[in-house]
Amino acid sequence: SFHMGQYRRRLYGTDISADYFDLGNEAMAAARIRSEDSCIQDIIEYLTNGGGQLAIFDASNLRAARRREIYDRFEQHQIRALFIEYICENESIVNENIRKVKIASPDYITMDADAAVADFKERIARMAPYYETIEDSDMSFIKLYNVGEHIVVNNIRGYLQSRVVFYMMNLHIADRTIYLARSGESSNEGSYKADAPLSETGHKYAQNLRDAIYRRIAERNQQVLAKTGADLSTRKLKVWTSTHVKSYQTAEYFSQRDNVTVRRRMLLKGLNPGVCENLPLDQVREKFPDEYQAYLRDPYHHRYSLAESYHDVSVRLEPVILELERERDDILIIAPESALRCIYAYFAPQGLPDSLIPTLAFPRSIFVELTPTAYGCKERRIGISPSNE
């Protein structure tokens, strides 16, 4: 993702006048073009020489002539551009979005909330006279009205653009929380094929996890009510679990509560270790030295014989990710550690290398709370012992 605001701040800092956003202000034209061109050049480099497959150019691009310039520049490098236009005719949504999202921008970190809202509205007022809706029929574009209430697509070409359209149809801006927790310990913990039930320790873990999750939800609801006046007590919790016996047995402790739906999802199964099942690392290194070295070179993509790679697991989880984006309720995912790693990586800060995904740790002493926001995903790791220490 290449965010125009980041390039502007890098060049000119955060304390910038609303004049910068006035497209009729010729004195600022050179500054705007410099920021945009720097960003566009980095996108071209990323897609042509950096191994990238898709880049998001996060910028206003209000005028038709400027969009045509950008489109033609990308076409010169065989880069297929897809424009996405948000149209919001509901003033309450605009105001809510400014307060919930825009004033969290790095531009307003040190500014009072009301002053930040006023400044951002001034930016909108400066840009509005120059806004031209996209109408070029030869271009590929998506128009979203009122946060997905109505969607128009034009000249969508190829598999990737089709997937982007489907992805955009599943997005929303409602607040929600995602919890990630490992399945409890089984009576045959090292075996993938055995699919053993929970051990006594596993059952105790499941009870503690349930209690810790509900403690955290109650604490969060109180904090939000005190800070904003919003009552989240009616928000539902849904539990998704893999079809491993130990996973859905862990989840069954939540089904005992009212208004909690538990769904078994085959796609949430853990990574199939193939010939390495039940083998400790030193034995893998001894029995399959060449394979082990290949794994060290590329732990995310490497696949042992009869096994899955982490890349395979990530591809398998794509429908789960899309459904997570569509959900407006809180979701708790109980699954093996390998599946949690790939889901977490989707929400992790930009720049997490693939090679680190297999090393991500989800010990049974904690669960992870993820809160998606416009400027990244907030994360907390919370203990699940009875004392919540």
Side-chain angles (χ1 to χ4, degrees), residues 325-338:
E325 290 289 9
R326 185 166 59 243
E327 273 290 350
R328 295 171 182 266
D329 294 317
D330 292 343
I331 299 290
L332 165 63
I333 296 178
I334 299 174
E337 193 171 33
S338 54

Side-chain angles (χ1 to χ4, degrees), residues 284-354:
V284 173
R285 185 168 54 238
E286 181 181 339
K287 291 188 67 173
F288 309 106
D290 293 339
E291 288 284 298
Y292 179 73
Q293 291 301 318
Y295 168 80
L296 291 181
R297 289 192 294 271
D298 190 357
Y300 178 73
H301 291 95
H302 181 263
R303 183 188 301 115
Y304 286 100
S305 179
L306 305 178
E308 289 181 298
S309 68
Y310 273 92
H311 177 71
D312 295 331
V313 177
S314 295
V315 171
R316 163 160 52 88
L317 287 170
E318 181 184 339
V320 175
I321 296 293
L322 284 171
E323 194 164 350
L324 268 177
E325 290 289 9
R326 185 166 59 243
E327 273 290 350
R328 295 171 182 266
D329 294 317
D330 292 343
I331 299 290
L332 165 63
I333 296 178
I334 299 174
E337 193 171 33
S338 54
L340 297 183
R341 286 166 175 159
C342 297
I343 293 171
Y344 174 87
Y346 171 79
F347 292 100
Q350 181 183 353
L352 177 70
D354 292 345

Side-chain angles (χ1 to χ4, degrees), residues 151-354:
I151 298 175
V152 174
V153 299
N154 180 76
N155 198 20
I156 299 301
R157 299 179 290 171
Y159 172 79
L160 191 53
Q161 289 194 353
S162 298
R163 297 302 293 168
V164 172
V165 172
F166 183 61
Y167 180 74
M168 298 302 296
M169 291 174 68
N170 286 280
L171 292 180
H172 64 80
I173 60 172
D175 293 331
R176 70 309 186 12
T177 304
I178 298 165
Y179 303 101
L180 304 179
R182 273 181 72 179
S183 313
E185 177 190 278
S186 76
S187 58
N188 189 353
E189 187 67 4
S191 176
Y192 177 88
K193 295 178 182 177
D195 198 16
L198 287 177
S199 65
E200 183 178 345
T201 300
H203 280 286
K204 188 62 178 175
Y205 162 84
Q207 294 173 21
N208 290 339
L209 173 64
R210 176 198 59 197
D211 296 343
I213 289 286
Y214 285 119
R215 279 198 302 269
R216 172 54 190 156
I217 290 174
E219 178 188 47
R220 180 206 63 189
N221 291 352
Q222 289 176 355
Q223 291 171 343
V224 171
L225 183 63
K227 185 176 181 180
T228 68
D231 183 5
L232 303 184
S233 61
T234 58
R235 188 188 291 182
K236 292 183 179 180
L237 174 69
K238 295 180 180 177
V239 180
W240 296 354
T241 178
S242 80
T243 52
H244 294 292
V245 174
K246 65 179 182 180
S247 295
Y248 67 72
Q249 283 188 340
T250 304
E252 282 176 347
Y253 282 87
F254 289 86
S255 64
Q256 299 166 5
R257 294 284 292 255
D258 293 336
N259 299 320
V260 175
T261 302
V262 176
R263 287 183 58 190
R264 300 182 191 181
R265 309 291 299 271
M266 184 172 290
L267 297 176
L268 286 170
K269 291 197 305 181
L271 181 147
N272 187 336
V275 297
C276 296
E277 181 178 20
N278 271 330
L279 292 181
L281 193 59
D282 58 341
Q283 290 187 31
V284 173
R285 185 168 54 238
E286 181 181 339
K287 291 188 67 173
F288 309 106
D290 293 339
E291 288 284 298
Y292 179 73
Q293 291 301 318
Y295 168 80
L296 291 181
R297 289 192 294 271
D298 190 357
Y300 178 73
H301 291 95
H302 181 263
R303 183 188 301 115
Y304 286 100
S305 179
L306 305 178
E308 289 181 298
S309 68
Y310 273 92
H311 177 71
D312 295 331
V313 177
S314 295
V315 171
R316 163 160 52 88
L317 287 170
E318 181 184 339
V320 175
I321 296 293
L322 284 171
E323 194 164 350
L324 268 177
E325 290 289 9
R326 185 166 59 243
E327 273 290 350
R328 295 171 182 266
D329 294 317
D330 292 343
I331 299 290
L332 165 63
I333 296 178
I334 299 174
E337 193 171 33
S338 54
L340 297 183
R341 286 166 175 159
C342 297
I343 293 171
Y344 174 87
Y346 171 79
F347 292 100
Q350 181 183 353
L352 177 70
D354 292 345

